Amino acid sequence: MIDVLVVEDDFMVARIHRGFVDSVEGFRVVGTADCGERALTAVAELQPDLVLLDLYLPDMFGLDVVPRLRDAGHDCDVMVISAAREAEAVRGAVRQGVVDYLLKPFDADDLKDRLERYSSRRSGLSAGTVSGQADVDRALGRVAAPTVAPTLPKGMSVETSELVERTLRAADGSLSAAECATRVGISRVSARRYLEHLTVTGQAEVSLRYGQAGRPERRYHWRVR
């Protein structure tokens, strides 16, 4: 079980993040902190494996927490979860050795994906030594460059992918999976699968639209080059 500390000054957001984490198998939230100083105290008391760290804290910038953790001898990993889009913030996070950087807003699936990848990298270093460079690359979150042209995931067709791509390109603004499905003539589940693939490959971007209740709606738009 991987113990997680959530550092977030908005208690409602912290509650949501806690629910997201607790829903991922192998993870549990052992505590929350609403500022940098309380985060330092909580790490000392709870000894978490992973800290989910917001950057806009009321008493200090979130990245200033990391060197203080190291100076105090804590070796927990840190994953940034923040609305901070400044390039310097991202560079600073890389310099501080954070394991991931997730931009707000996001949904449960976004965080689940990153936590599972973190768990995989962590388990790959459970042995006393690494077997080779591949283990090192996985631990650093690196993936070897493919030696052949990438193909579509199993069960996806080139023809449908092209239809979804053209539909998204032609859209005036963004589309939800349901809207794309109606225009293309496929199911919403299939449309979302193709749209998510376009997002993973960097051809599309996703944003969240919050309504009155329930999960936020994922909306996709073609990346302008």
Side-chain angles (χ1 to χ4, degrees):
M1 186 67 69
I2 295 175
D3 292 339
V4 179
L5 174 70
V6 175
V7 181
E8 167 63 58
D9 66 321
D10 186 319
F11 78 95
M12 286 298 294
V13 174
R15 181 183 299 175
I16 292 171
H17 291 179
R18 181 170 197 147
F20 285 175
V21 173
D22 284 337
S23 69
V24 180
E25 184 177 356
F27 290 82
R28 66 182 176 189
V29 174
V30 294
T32 61
D34 60 4
C35 68
E37 289 294 342
R38 289 194 178 96
L40 293 167
T41 300
V43 169
E45 293 177 352
L46 302 172
Q47 297 294 306
D49 302 300
L50 177 65
V51 176
L52 301 188
L53 180 66
D54 187 19
L55 296 188
Y56 295 138
L57 300 175
D59 58 342
M60 66 179 75
F61 190 57
L63 289 181
D64 293 335
V65 173
V66 182
R68 292 182 61 179
L69 287 173
R70 304 304 178 226
D71 289 344
H74 303 301
D75 63 353
C76 54
D77 291 318
V78 176
M79 181 183 298
V80 170
I81 294 183
S82 177
R85 296 174 178 268
E86 297 85 357
E88 183 54 37
V90 177
R91 286 193 294 267
V94 172
R95 287 194 295 268
Q96 297 287 4
V98 304
V99 297
D100 212 330
Y101 194 115
L102 179 58
L103 285 172
K104 298 177 181 177
F106 60 90
D107 63 16
D109 290 337
D110 294 323
L111 181 57
K112 180 175 183 290
D113 178 61
R114 282 162 173 77
L115 290 177
E116 289 177 342
R117 284 187 298 188
Y118 166 75
S119 177
S120 177
R121 296 196 300 266
R122 177 184 170 91
S123 62
L125 291 179
S126 58
T129 60
V130 295
S131 60
Q133 185 63 47
D135 286 344
V136 176
D137 291 341
R138 279 192 293 271
L140 294 175
R142 297 172 181 164
V143 179
T147 56
V148 296
T151 59
L152 288 170
K154 185 177 180 180
M156 295 174 65
S157 72
V158 174
E159 294 79 10
T160 304
S161 179
E162 291 176 350
L163 279 173
V164 172
E165 178 181 327
R166 287 200 297 268
T167 299
L168 193 60
R169 280 175 176 267
D172 183 15
S174 63
L175 290 178
S176 67
E179 292 166 343
C180 182
T182 299
R183 299 187 187 191
V184 176
I186 57 178
S187 71
R188 182 189 62 80
V189 173
S190 293
R192 172 161 179 168
R193 194 173 173 213
Y194 282 95
L195 290 167
E196 288 292 335
H197 177 70
L198 290 174
T199 302
V200 169
T201 57
Q203 297 168 275
E205 292 181 342
V206 64
S207 59
L208 301 181
R209 176 182 291 177
Y210 291 86
Q212 296 297 320
R215 283 191 171 189
E217 179 185 52
R218 294 175 71 84
R219 299 194 64 83
Y220 305 84
H221 66 273
W222 188 256
R223 292 189 66 182
V224 178
R225 289 177 172 82

